[in-house]
Amino acid sequence: MNDQQRIAVITGANRGIGFEICKQLAQKNIQIILTSRDQEKGMEACAQLKKQDLPVRYYQLDVREAASINDLKKFVEVEFGRCDVLINNAGIFPDAQGASDSNWPSVFDTKIETMEKAMATNVYGPMLLCQALVPLMKKHNYGRIVNLSSGMGQLADMGGHCPAYRLSKTAINALTRIVSEELSDLNILVNSMCPGWVKTDMGGSEATHELPEGADTAVWLATLPDDGPRGKFFRDRKEFEW
């Protein structure tokens, strides 16, 4: 790592959109810290990128655990002394378990435990990561935070069913606005993005976006110039209605 090289932490990055984001950012000579809950799968993903001579390190992280996030902060601080980019990609869709396209779970049948699982991973984890890593961004007055959201969390076009996922994605959008506002006097830009319907394990084979397309907006937001947008919601690099 040289003094000018940016440091980026990407969560849930052993596969899918997270892995593709790692690859695209590493190709821009950004030092990647690829994290995942499953250590074996994460190390395999890291090895794939290293074979391409891309700058990547692996760190095992469970975004549901405050202690794990605190350990990540210590690792980043000791190894790199800075954090320039945080991409909160790790997410779950607990409503989908056992459901089908014709039988998505209703809000009237959803258990609170399902809601709690969604919020712990999709909202509380990103909030704790911001608490842990923003102080490192403040040291250099530079930061880019990208929260992966979804059109399913869009209030302007809110539908029924899948309440755990929908509410958690609406909440991550609210977190984006709150964090962005509190950092408005600093060169730390915070935005949400919807990757669209992407061909991943979650999105399925019928999805309309390929992986590179799904990752593109996140990579763009992670590398914004200092006068770039803040506190906004995007899809395909275009501002998206909340």
Side-chain angles (χ1 to χ4, degrees), residues 154-168:
Q154 184 187 34
L155 283 172
D157 191 31
M158 182 61 68
H161 305 284
C162 304
Y165 187 74
R166 287 186 184 279
L167 284 171
S168 70

Side-chain angles (χ1 to χ4, degrees), residues 104-112 115 160-163:
W104 288 111
S106 165
V107 67
F108 300 109
D109 302 318
T110 299
K111 295 180 180 179
I112 289 297
M115 306 291 296
H161 305 284
C162 304

Side-chain angles (χ1 to χ4, degrees), residues 29 32 72 147 228:
N29 196 35
I32 302 301
L72 169 69
N147 293 323

Side-chain angles (χ1 to χ4, degrees), residues 92-219:
I92 60 172
F93 193 166
D95 308 81
Q97 294 178 5
S100 65
D101 290 345
S102 60
N103 187 34
W104 288 111
S106 165
V107 67
F108 300 109
D109 302 318
T110 299
K111 295 180 180 179
I112 289 297
E113 290 81 1
T114 304
M115 306 291 296
E116 290 172 339
K117 287 179 182 178
M119 295 297 287
T121 298
N122 298 352
V123 184
Y124 303 152
M127 185 180 75
L128 289 172
L129 281 156
C130 287
Q131 291 176 348
L133 298 178
V134 164
L136 296 179
M137 296 178 178
K138 287 182 176 180
K139 285 184 177 181
H140 300 276
N141 192 33
Y142 181 93
R144 304 291 182 263
I145 300 174
V146 183
N147 293 323
L148 266 78
S149 183
S150 168
M152 289 182 70
Q154 184 187 34
L155 283 172
D157 191 31
M158 182 61 68
H161 305 284
C162 304
Y165 187 74
R166 287 186 184 279
L167 284 171
S168 70
K169 291 305 182 179
T170 302
I172 192 69
N173 284 345
L175 180 67
T176 295
R177 295 296 299 268
I178 293 167
V179 175
S180 178
E181 179 62 28
E182 294 199 19
L183 297 174
S184 61
D185 59 339
L186 297 171
N187 183 25
I188 301 176
L189 309 183
V190 187
N191 292 286
S192 284
M193 61 82 67
C194 169
W197 188 19
V198 184
K199 292 179 180 178
T200 63
D201 289 349
M202 184 184 293
S205 60
E206 300 300 314
T208 56
H209 283 52
E210 300 291 340
L211 272 176
E213 296 174 280
D216 176 73
T217 300
V219 172

Side-chain angles (χ1 to χ4, degrees), residues 26-85:
Q27 289 170 344
K28 296 179 180 292
N29 196 35
I30 294 174
Q31 173 64 55
I32 302 301
I33 302 172
L34 185 158
T35 78
S36 67
R37 189 172 62 185
D38 187 311
Q39 184 173 17
E40 183 178 354
K41 292 179 180 178
M43 292 183 71
E44 289 174 359
C46 190
Q48 288 182 46
L49 296 179
K50 284 186 174 181
K51 286 180 181 178
Q52 301 175 45
D53 294 323
L54 295 174
V56 58
R57 293 278 297 275
Y58 176 72
Y59 193 86
Q60 193 276 331
L61 174 70
D62 188 340
V63 301
R64 303 168 304 177
E65 300 292 337
S68 182
I69 290 171
N70 190 52
D71 288 343
L72 169 69
K73 176 186 178 179
K74 293 176 182 176
F75 168 78
V76 174
E77 201 163 21
V78 170
E79 292 293 316
F80 304 102
R82 64 187 299 148
C83 178
D84 303 294
V85 176

